[in-house]
């Protein structure tokens, strides 16, 4: 089960990281653009939105990577305890 | 040779217009129904055969897939909370998987290659997470916009960042599925077009590629359905656990 | 890309996909998932129960085995004790018999010795008697001619004493 979980985790991360950054930046830019449109302050909110969006994307990627690391350490811990397992010795 | 994007076109089959809104049943909807019917009859056959303690082949497939989704739900939402959302998550998985797979049949249509469809689902899930969050935590749910351990000065900066990252979630969710499905089918269409237009003794080359890519596309269909479902679980789990 | 150009079909695509999903969700939730999930949970429960039962039986078996081993050990000890006791007993009997036999033999030896002693004394007495009588008779006949009675008796006595002394000296040696 743990092995499968690691595999699934890795799979989802591999497909997530790239798009996450781009989309967050675009969303930030879009929101800034919308605010500019409403308030007539072009292009200040657009600029701010791009920066915040990029930050948000980086933050998202950082969080995913952090989750992965925690998962990885958990897996390692399990592996380390395995040799104590009598059933593991017979293999 | 026709455009490889040609097969993404939607043709109405049974035109229906309700109050000026086009609700025609088109080839995309029909293909989706075929996929959903297969899923539904698969489960009905399993249940009608009688669910046994020692499962047959069909029942094993059904059980393994449901077990897989249940582990997903357990892992990201939680064992107790997850029970409530399991039917939704499992149905979502089978819906997307059926739509992805049915599109691989030549001449059929992949409704998940329509951004409006994936977007509608992602948006629905986004709204659902907001409802769950407010129902579970009330006004306290807004604290999801402030990550723990952030200095007070940073909060005005963090709130727009968190809002952007929350809004980005359903968009990346829908774009990912749409882009993967569209790209895969475009590649298949190009290769198939090549196979058709090439001379007979060279035609097998792109045709062989088509077969290989088709196999790859089946894997992509599963992976994308899986990722869409997993992220749905992650988002629901996030608003339930609130950090 | 037709996905972005055919704006007119968006409404029907969204409508039908959401409706179809809702129907699928309802049907699966209502008819398909409960029996299968129930079967899964039943099986999990059964497997867990079976494992528990097996574990319990294993423990019982081990306990039984330990009991039997203890019993066996006890029986062994008992048997050993019995054998020990029997051998002790037999040794005791043996010793007692030996003692008795030895005592009997000694007794018999002593009896025999005593008897020999008695016979010896008796024989000595008889020999003394005979010798005396013989000597007297001989001396009487011998001295009838030579000397008177008194002198003769004294000499006889002296000769008897000499004989007895020499006899006794022999017997002592």
């Amino acid at each position: 089960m743990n092995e499968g979980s690691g595999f699934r985790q890795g799979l989802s991360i591999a497909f997530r990281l790239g798009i996450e950054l781009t989309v967050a930046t675009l969303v930030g830019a879009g929101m800034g653009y919308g605010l500019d449109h409403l308030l007539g302050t072009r292009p200040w909110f657009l600029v701010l939105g791009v920066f915040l969006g990029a930050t948000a994307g980086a933050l998202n990627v950082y969080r995913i990577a952090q989750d992965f690391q925690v998962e990885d350490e958990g897996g390692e811990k399990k592996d380390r305890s395995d040799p104590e397992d009598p059933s593991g010795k017979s293999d | 040779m026709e455009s490889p994007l040609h097969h993404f076109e939607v043709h109405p089959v049974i035109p229906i217009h309700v109050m000026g809104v086009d609700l025609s049943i088109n080839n995309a909807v029909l293909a989706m129904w075929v996929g959903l019917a297969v899923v539904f009859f698969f489960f009905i056959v399993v249940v009608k055969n009688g669910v046994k303690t020692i499962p047959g082949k069909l029942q094993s497939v059904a059980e393994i897939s449901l077990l897989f989704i249940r582990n997903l739900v357990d892992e990201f939402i939680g064992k107790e909370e997850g029970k409530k959302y399991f039917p939704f998550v499992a149905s979502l998985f089978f819906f997307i998987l059926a739509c992805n797979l049915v599109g691989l049949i030549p001449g059929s249509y992949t409704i998940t290659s329509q951004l409006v469809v994936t977007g509608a689902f992602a948006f629905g899930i986004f709204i659902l997470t907001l409802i769950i969050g407010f129902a579970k935590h009330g006004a306290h749910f807004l604290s999801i916009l402030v990550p723990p351990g952030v200095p007070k000065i940073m909060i005005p900066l963090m709130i727009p960042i968190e809002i952007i990252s929350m809004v980005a979630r359903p968009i990346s969710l829908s774009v990912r599925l749409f882009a993967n499905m569209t790209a895969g089918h475009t590649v298949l269409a190009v290769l198939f077009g090549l196979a058709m237009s090439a001379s007979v003794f060279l035609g097998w080359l792109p045709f062989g590629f088509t077969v290989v890519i088709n196999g790859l596309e089946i894997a992509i269909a599963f992976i994308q359905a899986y990722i869409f479902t997993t992220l749905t679980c992650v988002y629901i789990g996030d608003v339930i656990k609130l950090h | 890309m037709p996905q972005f150009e055919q704006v007119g079909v968006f409404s029907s695509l969204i409508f039908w996909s959401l409706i179809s999903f809702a129907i699928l969700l309802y049907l699966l939730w209502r008819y398909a998932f409960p029996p299968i999930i129930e079967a899964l949970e039943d099986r999990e429960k059964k497997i867990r129960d079976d494992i528990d039962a097996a574990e319990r039986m294993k423990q019982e078996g081990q306990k039984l085995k330990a009991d039997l081993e203890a019993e066996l050990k006890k029986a062994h000890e008992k048997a050993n004790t019995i054998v020990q006791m029997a051998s002790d007993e037999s040794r005791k009997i043996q010793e007692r018999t030996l003692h008795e036999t030895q005592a009997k033999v000694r007794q018999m030896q002593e009896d025999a010795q005593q008897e020999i002693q008695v016979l010896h004394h008796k024989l000595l007495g008889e020999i003394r008697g005979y010798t005396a009588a013989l000597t007297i008779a001989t001396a009487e006949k011998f001295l009838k001619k030579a000397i008177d009675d008194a002198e003769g008796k004294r000499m006889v006595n002296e000769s008897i004493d000499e004989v007895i002394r020499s006899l006794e000296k022999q017997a002592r040696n």
Side-chain angles (χ1 to χ4, degrees), chain C residues 12 30 43-44 64 86 89 117 137 156-157 169:
Chain C
S12 80
R30 184 97 170 68
R43 181 163 336 117
E44 273 167 12
L64 218 63
E89 192 75 12
Q117 205 76 28
V156 169
N157 271 345
K169 204 185 272 170

Side-chain angles (χ1 to χ4, degrees), chain B residues 7 11 13 25-39 95 97-112, chain C residues 13 20:
Chain B
H7 74 285
H11 315 287
V13 178
I25 292 170
N26 47 44
N27 55 342
V29 173
L30 281 179
M32 173 183 73
W33 282 349
V34 170
L36 298 191
V38 170
V39 168
F95 178 88
L97 183 64
C99 291
N100 290 353
L101 285 177
V102 85
L104 291 174
I105 301 164
S108 145
Y109 196 95
T110 321
I111 205 164
T112 43
Chain C
L13 286 177
S20 307

Side-chain angles (χ1 to χ4, degrees), chain B residues 211-239:
Chain B
V211 172
V212 171
I213 298 287
N214 221 324
L216 190 68
E217 277 303 302
I218 291 173
I220 296 280
F222 274 96
I223 289 170
Q224 288 304 324
Y226 161 68
I227 287 172
F228 198 95
T229 319
T230 307
L231 290 181
T232 304
C233 289
V234 170
Y235 297 159
I236 293 175
D238 274 359
V239 297

Side-chain angles (χ1 to χ4, degrees), chain C residues 54-89:
Chain C
E55 194 69 30
R56 248 198 327 274
M57 263 153 93
K58 194 179 149 198
Q59 275 170 2
E60 260 168 40
Q62 266 166 354
K63 196 170 160 285
L64 218 63
K65 199 182 153 202
D67 283 359
L68 277 176
E69 269 170 6
E71 200 92 350
L72 202 66
K73 208 171 156 195
K74 228 193 278 177
H76 262 299
E77 274 167 9
K78 213 168 176 180
N80 276 344
T81 321
I82 289 171
V83 168
Q84 190 71 34
M85 268 162 69
S87 74
D88 282 0
E89 192 75 12

Side-chain angles (χ1 to χ4, degrees), chain B residues 165-219:
Chain B
S165 97
M166 272 199 84
V167 174
R169 286 171 155 195
I171 294 175
S172 66
L173 189 62
S174 53
V175 168
R176 186 183 301 110
L177 180 56
F178 146 78
N180 273 283
M181 287 304 117
T182 303
H185 287 79
T186 309
V187 169
L188 277 180
V190 169
L191 282 173
F192 195 70
L194 274 177
M196 288 296 106
S197 58
S199 53
V200 179
F201 51 89
L202 269 181
W204 60 270
L205 202 65
F207 188 78
F209 272 124
T210 312
V211 172
V212 171
I213 298 287
N214 221 324
L216 190 68
E217 277 303 302
I218 291 173

Side-chain angles (χ1 to χ4, degrees), chain A residues 1 5 7-9 11-12 15-16 19-20 23-25 27-28 31 49 52-53 55-57 59-60 63 71, chain B residues 68 71-72 75-76 147 157-158 160-165 167-168 171-172 175-176 180 223-224 226-227 231 235:
Chain A
M1 192 56 64
S5 174
F7 171 73
R8 285 188 272 141
Q9 197 83 21
L11 202 66
S12 67
F15 280 82
R16 274 171 77 183
I19 205 162
E20 212 81 44
V23 167
T25 312
V27 166
M31 284 170 114
L52 288 182
T55 316
L59 198 66
N60 273 352
R63 278 181 190 150
E71 197 77 11
Chain B
F68 182 78
N71 288 338
L72 212 65
E75 191 175 334
F76 291 111
L157 194 63
M158 285 313 288
I161 289 177
E162 287 293 326
I163 290 175
I164 291 171
S165 97
V167 174
I171 294 175
S172 66
V175 168
R176 186 183 301 110
N180 273 283
I223 289 170
Q224 288 304 324
Y226 161 68
I227 287 172
L231 290 181
Y235 297 159

Side-chain angles (χ1 to χ4, degrees), chain B residues 9-30:
Chain B
E9 270 169 29
V10 177
H11 315 287
V13 178
I14 306 169
I16 304 170
H17 292 270
V18 181
M19 292 189 295
V21 182
D22 176 20
L23 295 182
S24 308
I25 292 170
N26 47 44
N27 55 342
V29 173
L30 281 179

